Amino acid sequence: MVQAASAIQSRYDRQVRVKEIGAAGQARLAGAVAVIPGLGALGSTSAELLARAGVRTLRLVDRDFVDWMNLQRQCLYDEQDAALSLPKAHAAAAHLRRINSQVRYEPIVDDINPGTIERIVAGATVLVDGLDGFHARALVNEACVKHGIPWVYGAALATYGSMATVVPGVSACLACVMPEVALETTTPLSCETVGVLGPVTSLIASWQANEALKIMVGATDSTSPDLIHVELWSNEAIRFPARRADHCDVCVRRQFHLLERRERMMTTSLCGRAAVQVVPPPSFKLDLDLLRDTLRRTVPLEDNGHLLKFSADEHPMVVFPDGRAIVFGTADGKQALRLYAKYVGA
Ligand SMILES: [Zn+2]
């Protein structure tokens, strides 16, 4: 769309008037690259806010497609996107182009893993977390610390959420505050099991976008190194101090174990039948008791003492104690991985 120069000038007027931004801040935004891995509720809200704010480049990353269940909270998508099962990265970019055509959009349909993450963060001014699993966040943390890129953690579930900003070399990184075991173990507590409210995701994503703006305009000192936890239903906000660990493997010793592992979930089609086997990497630890309890609350579950069997979105799935699974009724490895991430963990 052709716009008059004066219209382009005026579009950021109300933002430039904010003294924390000003003309200098706006100019910095016009040169910044923001990366958003995960375009669910958090990612789509922060992407819209940053596109409207006039960031130069938005790199939009997601491996999934739009589903009807997303529409309750994932504000960038509409019914047509769900009906067409469009990849979220492309649907997001298409909607954002209509909001602000001056931004350069880089949609990427891919998984976050050791083989992709460093390419995804390359050249970023800031990364805004829209992910829903701690293993992927731990990878993001390693990649951002390695390359000196500030990133804004965010998570939301049910009626609560949390947010913190990691400035490599200055504030605590994810590995400083979370023991490695928590990053490696699957967490069946998810949107699928306990749900999530739209206002919570909007609140957390807005907070993240504001932190990202501070970083992009050069006001990194004003970001929050502490973890801010909000319980929206009871209107409570708590601040948990996050301190750098003296011997942190990632931000002190600069040992990037996850990045260097370069191993990922493997899938193999099972010959002669429509089924895919999913094999997690050796570092993946399945808590079978926790998975059994969680599944029992959401789906009819068969447990023969050797494996769990249930229906994953109409696809029979079996999960073995070592974390291996077989998804029936498909020969598509990506679909099997999606179902595995949804029901077992990512
Ligand atoms: Zn650290």
Side-chain angles (χ1 to χ4, degrees):
M1 190 179 293
V2 179
Q3 294 155 317
S6 59
I8 293 172
Q9 263 333 99
S10 66
R11 96 181 279 153
Y12 303 116
D13 177 78
R14 299 301 187 263
Q15 182 168 288
V16 170
R17 284 174 191 276
V18 176
K19 68 179 189 326
E20 284 79 1
I21 304 290
Q26 193 63 45
R28 291 184 78 141
L29 286 177
V33 178
V35 177
I36 305 182
L39 298 166
L42 293 177
S44 55
T45 298
S46 54
E48 180 177 339
L49 289 167
L50 297 183
R52 288 186 189 277
V55 170
R56 177 73 195 105
T57 302
L58 269 182
R59 192 170 300 151
L60 306 162
V61 189
D62 200 292
R63 67 176 175 187
D64 208 353
F65 56 85
V66 181
D67 179 90
W68 289 93
M69 263 185 287
N70 302 148
L71 301 184
Q72 160 253 350
R73 63 196 180 284
Q74 300 184 12
C75 67
L76 273 185
Y77 311 121
D78 62 25
E79 294 184 353
Q80 197 183 6
D81 300 326
L84 297 173
S85 298
L86 290 182
K88 288 184 181 179
H90 291 300
H95 287 284
L96 292 168
R97 269 187 207 105
R98 289 200 287 275
I99 290 170
N100 189 345
S101 60
Q102 295 175 289
V103 175
R104 185 187 295 147
Y105 300 102
E106 297 178 0
I108 298 175
V109 184
D110 210 341
D111 185 41
I112 300 292
N113 62 55
T116 61
I117 186 63
E118 289 188 76
R119 176 169 49 83
I120 286 168
V121 305
T125 313
V126 65
L127 179 144
V128 186
D129 169 21
L131 298 163
D132 57 3
F134 275 99
H135 190 75
R137 287 195 184 100
L139 261 178
V140 161
N141 184 60
E142 287 196 2
C144 285
V145 170
K146 183 176 175 182
H147 296 283
I149 299 164
W151 72 281
V152 189
Y153 160 79
L157 208 57
T159 60
Y160 52 89
S162 49
M163 195 286 306
T165 300
V166 175
V167 181
V170 177
S171 60
C173 83
L174 190 67
C176 288
V177 294
M178 290 203 174
E180 200 170 337
V181 64
L183 306 176
E184 302 279 5
T185 308
T186 179
T187 51
L189 204 62
S190 70
C191 296
E192 277 78 32
T193 54
V194 298
V196 62
L197 293 186
V200 179
T201 57
S202 267
L203 176 73
I204 297 297
S206 298
W207 214 318
Q208 287 180 281
N210 199 53
E211 293 286 281
L213 285 179
K214 293 177 196 172
I215 291 162
M216 288 186 284
V217 303
T220 304
D221 289 353
S222 303
T223 59
S224 170
D226 297 337
L227 184 84
I228 295 168
H229 180 85
V230 180
E231 198 357 310
L232 200 55
W233 205 259
S234 55
N235 299 309
E236 287 169 296
I238 311 165
R239 217 175 156 117
F240 294 102
R243 298 209 171 76
R244 279 189 86 186
D246 292 339
H247 305 293
C248 177
D249 274 354
V250 177
C251 71
V252 177
R253 294 186 170 138
R254 298 185 66 77
Q255 293 172 347
F256 306 113
H257 298 299
L258 298 176
L259 278 183
E260 283 153 17
R261 193 169 287 150
R262 306 258 169 196
E263 54 172 318
R264 51 184 296 183
M265 290 276 187
M266 300 295 291
T267 58
T268 44
S269 289
L270 296 189
C271 212
R273 53 184 172 151
V276 175
Q277 179 178 240
V278 179
V279 184
S283 57
F284 186 90
K285 293 179 187 69
L286 178 70
D287 185 338
L288 195 70
D289 293 332
L290 188 55
L291 178 66
R292 187 187 293 111
D293 291 346
T294 308
L295 287 173
R296 214 169 248 149
R297 277 184 267 128
T298 51
V299 290
L301 184 69
E302 291 175 48
D303 178 6
N304 68 4
H306 303 287
L307 55 87
L308 304 178
K309 187 176 181 187
F310 56 96
S311 177
D313 295 4
E314 315 293 325
H315 291 277
M317 184 191 284
V318 297
V319 181
F320 300 88
D322 63 359
R324 212 160 39 84
I326 297 173
V327 183
F328 296 87
T330 182
D332 179 353
K334 284 187 175 173
Q335 186 185 25
L337 281 178
R338 269 198 300 275
L339 291 169
Y340 189 94
K342 178 173 175 180
Y343 285 90
V344 183

